[in-house]
Amino acid sequence: MQTTIHHHDQVFRDQSTLIRLLDHLINAINDIGDIPSSAALEDNRIRFNSVAMEMTQVQECARRLSDSFRSTMPNLPWDELRALRNVIVHDYGEIDVESLYDTVTKDAPHLVAQLQPLVDAIED
């Protein structure tokens, strides 16, 4: 009986974490908005900080998903998402603005397109 309860709890945690992960991705994309380049992002401290925080939260959510949940969707870049902080943040905690900009403008929209149907199915 407890195994079943644990299983349902884990499924719920994974699903709610996936929903939060998608929300953070969408927020990052929206926050970068009409920023035309990594240099322009770096010049806009508020938007830069917001995008960086949203992408850090994406990484945290990806890290919290169970291995069994991630294994049900092997075509998604889970390892890359889990390592996202390391891609964005280099030595001494400095953010690589070009990596952040490229990740949000090029990679994140593709990931949203893959995750949105999964989240829609959870929320229905």
Side-chain angles (χ1 to χ4, degrees):
M1 177 98 171
Q2 279 206 318
T3 303
T4 304
I5 291 170
H6 174 72
H7 174 71
H8 290 305
D9 288 347
Q10 186 61 52
V11 170
F12 175 78
R13 280 193 298 271
D14 284 336
Q15 289 176 339
S16 57
T17 300
L18 185 66
I19 291 167
R20 284 193 308 278
L21 187 153
L22 179 62
D23 286 344
H24 289 298
L25 275 173
I26 291 169
N27 289 341
I29 292 167
N30 289 338
D31 289 351
I32 218 162
D34 58 353
I35 303 283
S37 67
S38 60
L41 179 63
E42 188 171 27
D43 288 341
N44 189 325
R45 183 185 59 81
I46 293 171
R47 304 260 298 273
F48 173 81
N49 286 337
S50 179
V51 170
M53 180 56 76
E54 292 293 350
M55 293 307 290
T56 299
Q57 292 302 310
V58 167
Q59 181 272 334
E60 287 295 321
C61 288
R63 191 180 55 79
R64 278 188 233 118
L65 291 170
S66 69
D67 290 338
S68 61
F69 186 81
R70 285 192 312 274
S71 71
T72 65
M73 297 166 268
N75 60 327
L76 293 175
W78 297 119
D79 291 338
E80 290 86 351
L81 280 171
R82 292 173 81 182
L84 184 61
R85 184 189 174 282
N86 296 335
V87 171
I88 294 171
V89 179
H90 286 284
D91 294 331
Y92 309 109
E94 292 183 24
I95 295 175
D96 180 340
V97 182
E98 287 183 34
S99 292
L100 177 64
Y101 186 83
D102 287 346
T103 298
V104 176
T105 59
K106 296 176 183 170
D107 301 328
H110 297 292
L111 190 56
V112 167
Q114 291 178 292
L115 293 176
Q116 189 67 60
L118 301 170
V119 169
D120 290 346
I122 293 168
E123 293 178 334
D124 285 342

